[in-house]
Amino acid sequence: ALANAMAQIIISEKLYNKHLLQEQTDLTFLVRTDNGKLLRESDIKKKGSELVLYRWDNKKNKLEIPSQSSLKLHTDPALEGEFKVKTHKGIISVRPVFESLKEQLKEFTPEKASKICGVAPETIRELTKMLVTAKAATNTCTSNFSKFYHGDIIMRSQILTFVLAGHLGKKGDGFSTCSFLVADGSNKMLYELQLTKDLQYEYMFKYGPSFWKTYFERKDLNQATYKYVLDTY
């Protein structure tokens, strides 16, 4: 509820990073208003692909198929609006996923979310402002929400706020759904593993080159050893 309220504020006050949403997310893909499904090439052509989706190009004011090889923008895909398109079964209305998202979040005002999560509306607004104005922001869940039923949905809502605020793909930005640290004693583990005679040479030839590559690139024996243990494990 907290994350959804933050997302609602970012969208309603138009604080989102438009370019990132257009380039890096599926929020521009078109959804049919008659059945709520994504518009596919199979809707447009009788023998069209089920895998090809569409966006609406604001520049040319018509349907476009996103590039299959790069996310780089060469057009201006619509985030908002409703459009008429001709399918092989007739004319239908479509709109971007972003419009559906706005509709779903409409009820998650800070006041209503506060009753669910217990965080004061003013605090929700302040936290949202901090996230939006931050030069960079990251979050690490460790093994927290993953232990809750529907924990993945909780994290998806949190990820949404980070993406809307533009915290993706830059130094210091991002959202880690699960992280783990390098355990002490990994060198000892590797040594004991090498003493296992039936694995010794097999692992040495299979994972040795990767170990030395990591070591020379990182100049860090612990990291190289850790990757070796991870590979062999």
Side-chain angles (χ1 to χ4, degrees):
L2 172 63
N4 285 345
M6 292 174 69
Q8 190 270 344
I9 293 169
I10 294 172
I11 290 175
S12 64
E13 297 185 12
K14 294 190 179 296
L15 303 173
Y16 50 83
N17 185 314
K18 182 181 176 183
H19 182 270
L20 185 140
L21 298 189
Q22 288 178 310
E23 184 184 75
Q24 297 287 328
T25 76
D26 61 0
L27 295 175
T28 57
F29 290 155
L30 296 172
V31 177
R32 298 175 54 141
T33 59
D34 59 345
N35 61 16
K37 294 183 178 181
L38 289 164
L39 181 69
R40 302 175 184 274
E41 191 181 50
S42 55
D43 295 320
I44 305 297
K45 303 175 183 177
K46 284 187 177 180
K47 293 185 179 180
S49 171
E50 286 281 320
L51 305 178
V52 175
L53 305 177
Y54 289 92
R55 301 187 297 205
W56 187 266
D57 182 0
N58 281 327
K59 287 181 180 177
K60 297 181 179 178
N61 201 32
K62 66 177 187 177
L63 287 176
E64 69 158 346
I65 296 174
S67 169
Q68 305 296 300
S69 60
S70 170
L71 292 178
K72 190 173 181 180
L73 284 180
H74 297 288
T75 60
D76 180 24
L79 279 168
E80 299 176 279
E82 188 166 316
F83 314 98
K84 298 286 185 183
V85 298
K86 186 178 180 181
T87 71
H88 64 83
K89 290 184 178 180
I91 305 292
I92 62 168
S93 294
V94 294
R95 59 182 190 165
V97 172
F98 188 68
E99 288 284 11
S100 300
L101 178 65
K102 284 197 300 182
E103 202 170 274
Q104 288 182 3
L105 291 173
K106 193 166 54 179
E107 296 302 313
F108 279 94
T109 61
E111 287 71 25
K112 289 184 179 179
S114 179
K115 293 176 182 177
I116 301 171
C117 65
V119 180
E122 312 82 64
T123 306
I124 296 176
R125 289 189 173 91
E126 182 63 25
L127 180 58
T128 305
K129 182 181 176 183
M130 288 171 66
L131 184 68
V132 169
T133 58
K135 185 178 178 181
T138 188
N139 184 79
T140 304
C141 275
T142 64
S143 295
N144 189 348
F145 290 108
S146 57
K147 294 181 179 179
F148 286 84
Y149 189 60
H150 289 323
D152 58 326
I153 306 299
I154 295 173
M155 286 190 280
R156 281 173 184 269
S157 289
Q158 293 178 339
I159 292 167
L160 175 63
T161 63
F162 274 74
V163 173
L164 288 171
H167 295 302
L168 181 73
K170 303 195 304 292
K171 187 176 182 181
D173 274 341
F175 192 98
S176 175
T177 56
C178 184
S179 65
F180 48 93
L181 304 175
V182 177
D184 289 338
S186 56
N187 287 348
K188 185 171 182 290
M189 283 174 61
L190 178 62
Y191 177 69
E192 290 176 352
L193 187 68
Q194 294 289 33
L195 292 180
T196 309
K197 290 182 180 179
D198 57 336
L199 298 176
Q200 189 175 17
Y201 294 107
E202 180 187 344
Y203 281 15
M204 188 187 300
F205 285 109
K206 190 171 183 179
Y207 302 110
S210 174
F211 167 84
W212 289 110
K213 183 174 183 290
T214 305
Y215 175 69
F216 285 119
E217 283 179 353
R218 302 286 292 273
K219 302 292 189 238
D220 187 326
L221 181 61
N222 280 327
Q223 284 291 336
T225 303
Y226 175 68
K227 186 178 184 308
Y228 187 99
V229 172
L230 206 62
D231 287 345
T232 54
Y233 182 78

